[in-house]
Amino acid sequence: MAKTKIQWCDYTFNPWRGCEKVSAGCDHCYAEQQAKRNPKVFGTWGADGVRVVASDAYWKQPLKWNRDALAAGLEGDARPRVFCGSMMDVFEDRPELVSWRAHLFGLIAQTQKPQSLLLTNRSE
């Protein structure tokens, strides 16, 4: 996957897609707008919306980024930053996300070189 154009990170990673608005910070959600155009890929928003899990191949991308960073000898601030959750919220409270979230946390534990940035509107 190509690097993102987001200035403060190198990659984006969305192991599942879809979400529910929970605060004023969600009022202008670009991911929800994209999902309206392509719900099969981006899921559907709302309490009754469908969350779409990414393919096994997609889930392997952070492993590649980790290998690349190891091979390049990247340390400290030079390590790649991965924005995890631009099309979803890691901490959304839904039963189907429990196993996906556990899988994500295991993946983050395996990939020590990339800096995983988990952003949420669910501060609790």
Side-chain angles (χ1 to χ4, degrees):
M1 168 173 265
K3 290 193 173 194
T4 182
K5 293 180 181 179
I6 300 172
Q7 293 179 352
W8 46 268
C9 66
D10 300 293
Y11 302 100
T12 58
F13 183 65
N14 292 285
W16 62 89
R17 294 144 190 130
C19 200
E20 178 181 359
K21 291 183 175 188
V22 295
S23 72
C26 302
D27 286 349
H28 304 286
C29 180
Y30 63 87
E32 180 182 24
Q33 295 306 312
Q34 287 186 8
K36 287 178 183 178
R37 291 190 293 266
N38 194 350
K40 287 184 180 180
V41 172
F42 296 115
T44 53
W45 257 242
D48 297 325
V50 176
R51 306 304 177 252
V52 177
V53 69
S55 68
D56 289 341
Y58 185 89
W59 279 84
K60 292 178 182 175
Q61 289 179 344
L63 298 170
K64 180 190 180 313
W65 301 332
N66 190 63
R67 286 191 305 272
D68 291 350
L70 282 167
L74 300 178
E75 297 290 337
D77 288 344
R79 297 175 358 205
R81 290 190 172 117
V82 179
F83 175 13
C84 182
S86 65
M87 299 296 295
M88 40 76 85
D89 192 315
V90 172
F91 300 105
E92 184 181 16
D93 187 18
R94 291 174 61 108
E96 71 269 29
L97 300 183
V98 173
S99 64
W100 299 352
R101 194 170 19 253
H103 186 83
L104 172 62
F105 291 158
L107 182 61
I108 290 170
Q110 290 177 45
T111 55
Q112 293 297 305
K113 286 298 178 179
Q115 302 172 67
S116 295
L117 308 172
L118 306 177
L119 293 115
T120 183
N121 279 316
R122 292 166 170 82
S123 59
E124 70 282 354

